[in-house]
Amino acid sequence: MGRPEEPKIDRGLTLHLRGDWGGANLHRICGWVAQELGDRTGPGTRIATWNSRGFVDAVRAVGHGEVDIALTTPAAFTRAAMDGSGTYAGEAFPKLRALGVLPQRDRLVLAVHRSLKATTVARLRENTPRLRLATSVNDGVNHVGLAAHAVLDRSGVDVLGWGGSFLEDERPFESLEHVLAGRANAIVHEAVMLPHWQRLAPDYHFLPIEDDVLTGIEADNGWPAATVAAGYFPGADGFRTLDFSDFLMITTADLADDVAYAVAWILGETREVLESQYRHLPPERSPVTYPLDPVAIGRTPIPLHPGAQRYYQALPGN
């Protein structure tokens, strides 16, 4: 069996995509898809990429019809939007559909300075230290802030009650700089492949999240757990924490079938265009975990758009 048929759309398209703040991976993926789609559509095609935060706001923008396609991370957090549970309580988006998932092996981790003498969350609770904890804003939109506070609250880590404070920002870079500059003595964040984590690791303990906390979070929110391998952070043992993986490309059932097929085909068949932008980094330290596997791209946490599904079903071996 050969490869799935290359798409050709004779008409011109006007599409609105939604990426990230402008300078990170979601915008880069949007640019790749827009370029390849423009090459395979009719004259007059216009494709715009709107700035976004890539979290709840992106999902709602697609659900409300403000854009045609958006990327959001982590992928599993989108399940709740289908039935209006968890973060999306009171507003369901049952017409959401996936076009594919781009792999980013990421975790949300809790780390505290070694001076606090806590190697477990239980010991942290016993010590009740004054934490200056760096994380993202907890505003109901930022997935990092939402997840960080869920982990802390369920773990009984009362930052404010223990006399501490939060240093809240939008992106991981600011939070990591707080730690490296000594303004923070604890952090809950993702983007574990960034080199900042390697620099702070010798001075920090990475705390496993307790099993009952991870089980409760998955039961209530659908957010899965995952493992960080021993040695991923210098000198750190392996530990369990919250999974924060993968970029999910979403649309709605209203997107034309041929456009959905074309986008899925681009994700699977022109993956070299994206991969080549990350090969200067080892796969385990890359913001996109290459090599990309078209079959895996089609394994999405919400239902595939029928047009996209047609591409993945046509892959050899499916």
Side-chain angles (χ1 to χ4, degrees):
M1 180 185 294
R3 302 299 302 180
E5 181 181 1
E6 181 173 354
K8 180 61 178 175
I9 300 174
D10 292 332
R11 68 189 184 280
L13 303 177
T14 298
L15 289 175
H16 296 269
L17 280 53
R18 189 158 166 150
D20 53 49
W21 309 280
N25 303 291
L26 305 190
H27 244 58
R28 180 174 289 186
I29 292 168
C30 285
W32 159 47
V33 169
Q35 173 179 288
E36 298 299 322
L37 192 57
D39 288 345
R40 294 168 176 83
T41 55
T45 289
R46 301 180 304 164
I47 303 174
T49 298
W50 292 86
N51 288 43
S52 179
R53 298 168 70 186
F55 303 124
V56 173
D57 61 311
V59 178
R60 287 183 173 143
V62 171
H64 292 155
E66 296 170 13
V67 295
D68 302 292
I69 296 170
L71 283 146
T72 183
T73 187
F77 282 36
T78 308
R79 290 193 196 104
M82 296 290 295
D83 61 3
S85 61
T87 306
Y88 298 91
E91 186 176 32
F93 298 102
K95 293 176 71 175
L96 282 178
R97 296 293 182 268
L99 296 170
V101 62
L102 282 305
Q104 184 197 42
R105 299 292 174 257
D106 202 358
R107 307 289 184 260
L108 187 88
V109 298
L110 166 60
V112 299
H113 198 273
R114 288 176 180 267
S115 64
L116 300 178
K117 302 187 184 305
T119 57
T120 65
V121 174
R123 179 56 61 88
L124 197 65
R125 287 194 299 266
E126 291 174 10
N127 296 348
T128 64
R130 185 176 180 180
L131 299 174
R132 303 184 307 279
L133 190 142
T135 189
S136 284
V137 292
N138 184 29
D139 60 357
V141 174
N142 189 303
H143 282 156
V144 179
L146 285 165
H149 281 266
V151 166
L152 294 170
D153 292 346
R154 288 171 181 260
S155 298
V157 177
D158 187 359
V159 174
L160 300 180
W162 297 349
S165 59
F166 289 100
L167 288 76
E168 295 182 316
D169 293 279
E170 174 69 7
R171 291 179 286 274
F173 305 100
E174 294 91 345
S175 296
L176 289 162
E177 285 299 330
H178 286 316
V179 172
L180 292 171
R183 293 185 293 271
N185 62 0
I187 183 170
V188 183
H189 229 294
E190 46 94 52
V192 295
M193 73 293 300
L194 291 176
H196 306 64
W197 289 102
Q198 305 299 306
R199 292 165 55 196
L200 70 85
D203 296 323
Y204 274 73
H205 289 303
F206 293 84
L207 308 190
I209 305 304
E210 293 161 324
D211 287 342
D212 62 328
V213 171
L214 294 172
T215 300
I217 287 176
E218 183 162 20
D220 292 344
N221 300 303
W223 303 345
T227 300
V228 176
Y232 187 85
F233 300 115
D237 294 332
F239 60 96
R240 294 266 290 167
T241 188
L242 198 64
D243 194 8
F244 225 74
S245 293
D246 301 338
F247 306 134
L248 181 64
M249 183 170 279
I250 54 174
T251 187
T252 70
D254 296 330
L255 187 70
D257 275 17
D258 59 352
V259 176
Y261 175 88
V263 172
W265 186 94
I266 288 164
L267 298 181
E269 301 300 312
T270 73
R271 57 192 184 276
E272 165 68 21
V273 176
L274 186 69
E275 285 183 13
S276 64
Q277 299 177 56
Y278 293 93
R279 287 212 186 98
H280 61 290
L281 299 167
E284 70 277 8
R285 303 291 178 188
S286 171
V288 171
T289 309
Y290 65 87
L292 303 180
D293 174 6
V295 173
I297 291 172
R299 296 184 186 129
T300 55
I302 65 172
L304 282 164
H305 188 289
Q309 188 172 33
R310 182 162 59 88
Y311 163 74
Y312 297 113
Q313 288 178 338
L315 289 168
N318 277 352

